[in-house]
Amino acid sequence: MSALPLSSARRPEGLVARVAIFVSSWPHGAIQRLMLNLAEEFAAAGHRIDLLAPRGSAPAEGLPANMHLVTLAPRLSALPGVGRHKRWFVPVALPALVRYLRRARPAALLSGGEWPNVVALAARRLAGSPTRVVVSEHVHVGASTAGAAQRKPRRLLPGLMARLYPGADAIVAVSEGVRQDLLERFPLPPSQVHTVYNPVITSALLAARDAPLDDPWFVPGAPPVLLNVAQLRVQKDQATLLRAFAMVKKRRPARLLILGEGNQRPALEALTQELDIAADVRLAGFVSNPLAYMRRARLFVLSSRYEGFGNVLAEALVCGCPIVSTDCPSGPSEILEHGNYGRLTPVGDANALAAAILAAMEEPVELAGLEQRGLEFSAAAAARHYLHLLIDNPAS
């Protein structure tokens, strides 16, 4: 995907359409943030946008005049069992989505996430609606449904996807790795599945990278900081990162800052004690603006076992932060252009990760080249591709 100006999706002329965007809830979550980025670009192009979800609220900053929140099933929490099992919120909203499609008749419906995708396709079929449906796949299905990830609800997804995904007008994969996985697993023609990188970089994000940062680890003369921004969970494999950092510490001064929260915190804290690196590791939890840290860190390290895309890598690039990442399925190799914009290491290999970190810390930082690569993952660039699939050229 070529680099495009951040304003490229704002077209003063062209078809104005009603476009619905369906996710599990608004406004919080990684997919939700990306879909809001797209929604803002669609709205700026003049289209009317309905933000659909079983439940949710508008972002704190509000919505543009031509963007509306539609809560499909606001009383879901009162249903027996649903409040305790949030994964069922989306399927239970199916009848409400059918009614919306029959009543509102949007020109196009874009869904994000596996459950919203299958429900959107089922709803269009049940509604008998002419609405064009484009679904977006944000995870590597093979990796995310393997082993421990095979919880009962997720076991249902591959079968539902195989049955319903062929009925989509188009399928967006957020990386070529995700696209190839979909084509291998499901009966889909290659022409139906399109790779569109995530709409990560926005004007607001660019402004956030230069926000002031009051943190004693980033004062002049302090040891260099390695940064990881991810939820603390098995998929992100910070345990391998901690083991690699322990090896780095034996060779040179450094600190490791991990931003994010999750169920692996107790195990990771115990591992820092076991490795005798607790004094130089900080599990800082969630922060509202990780870009300010990316702008100042010596190195960004991604240790994931799998990704769909790897949004944080695009963010680190546009902040001019050098990167070391596992070559996991899928996304990092594509974002880093197979190693041209950062080092790639095998998944779960602490020795290789430590060696790559040490080598990267010896190299000079080429700020401009990294930033330019990061700008290629702009929301405006992605929005142009999505609008083409949704409304501009329905026959393609």
Side-chain angles (χ1 to χ4, degrees):
M1 182 184 300
S2 59
L4 294 168
L6 290 181
S7 61
S8 62
R10 292 174 168 82
R11 299 179 289 114
E13 299 179 356
L15 176 66
V16 175
R18 185 174 192 171
V19 178
I21 301 178
F22 178 52
V23 296
S24 60
S25 65
W26 297 107
H28 303 297
I31 292 177
Q32 287 84 342
R33 184 173 68 251
L34 296 169
M35 289 297 178
L36 281 172
N37 290 348
L38 287 175
E40 289 170 1
E41 295 292 337
F42 297 168
H47 302 294
R48 177 179 176 178
I49 310 302
D50 287 345
L51 301 177
L52 311 180
R55 63 174 187 166
S57 58
E61 62 272 19
L63 295 171
N66 55 339
M67 194 183 302
H68 306 276
L69 179 69
V70 179
T71 304
L72 294 172
R75 299 181 180 178
L76 275 177
S77 297
L79 294 177
V82 174
R84 296 191 305 274
H85 302 287
K86 296 179 181 179
R87 63 180 70 92
W88 294 115
F89 269 75
V90 178
V92 171
L94 175 61
L97 183 56
V98 171
R99 291 192 294 272
Y100 166 84
L101 291 175
R102 288 173 175 168
R103 181 186 73 252
R105 297 176 67 85
L109 171 63
L110 170 64
S111 57
E114 291 148 308
W115 277 115
N117 290 346
V118 299
V119 170
L121 291 167
R124 196 259 300 266
R125 180 182 295 184
L126 292 170
S129 169
T131 295
R132 184 172 174 83
V133 175
V134 176
V135 303
S136 60
E137 185 56 62
H138 292 254
V139 300
H140 189 281
V141 177
S144 68
T145 57
Q150 280 277 45
R151 297 184 298 272
K152 184 176 181 179
R154 284 202 64 80
R155 287 202 298 269
L156 300 175
L157 277 169
L160 290 171
M161 293 163 73
R163 183 177 180 84
L164 292 169
Y165 273 32
D169 292 289
I171 299 169
V172 170
V174 299
S175 67
E176 184 59 24
V178 169
R179 179 177 183 270
Q180 291 301 322
D181 182 62
L182 288 172
L183 292 175
E184 291 170 5
R185 292 179 180 279
F186 304 116
L188 303 169
S191 61
Q192 186 184 13
V193 188
H194 306 260
T195 299
V196 182
Y197 293 143
N198 273 343
V200 179
I201 309 303
T202 64
S203 297
L205 186 144
L206 294 178
R209 64 184 176 176
D210 293 319
L213 180 62
D214 183 15
D215 190 305
W217 275 22
F218 292 89
V219 299
V225 177
L226 312 182
L227 179 65
N228 172 267
V229 181
Q231 293 182 342
L232 308 183
R233 63 188 199 201
V234 171
Q235 175 203 344
K236 304 300 182 178
D237 198 12
Q238 284 100 345
T240 292
L241 174 56
L242 291 176
R243 294 186 177 95
F245 179 70
M247 301 177 198
V248 170
K249 276 291 296 174
K250 293 178 180 178
R251 298 281 299 276
R252 59 171 300 162
R255 287 170 168 166
L256 174 61
L257 177 63
I258 300 176
L259 304 180
E261 198 53 81
N263 59 16
Q264 291 298 297
R265 173 178 282 277
L268 294 173
E269 289 177 337
L271 186 56
T272 64
Q273 297 291 337
E274 178 186 330
L275 296 170
D276 195 25
I277 55 173
D280 293 301
V281 174
R282 208 164 93 213
L283 304 178
F286 172 82
V287 299
S288 60
N289 181 17
L291 281 296
Y293 291 88
M294 293 178 181
R295 192 63 153 169
R296 295 163 175 84
R298 179 61 185 85
L299 200 64
F300 187 90
V301 186
L302 184 78
S303 52
S304 298
R305 296 181 179 183
Y306 66 90
E307 293 283 346
F309 179 68
N311 298 332
V312 289
L313 296 183
E315 293 173 349
L317 283 171
V318 86
C319 289
C321 187
I323 292 171
V324 171
S325 173
T326 51
D327 190 8
C328 66
S330 51
S333 180
E334 296 172 52
I335 295 170
L336 301 179
E337 205 176 65
H338 310 291
N340 287 336
Y341 291 96
R343 293 177 177 270
L344 294 163
T345 68
V347 172
D349 189 333
N351 290 297
L353 189 60
I357 290 170
L358 289 165
M361 292 177 74
E362 296 298 326
E363 296 176 342
V365 177
E366 296 182 4
L367 184 68
L370 297 176
E371 289 186 1
Q372 187 59 39
R373 176 60 175 171
L375 288 172
E376 296 185 30
F377 306 103
S378 73
R384 288 190 63 183
H385 289 269
Y386 273 95
L387 284 174
H388 177 74
L389 296 171
L390 287 162
I391 58 174
D392 286 349
N393 189 7
S396 66

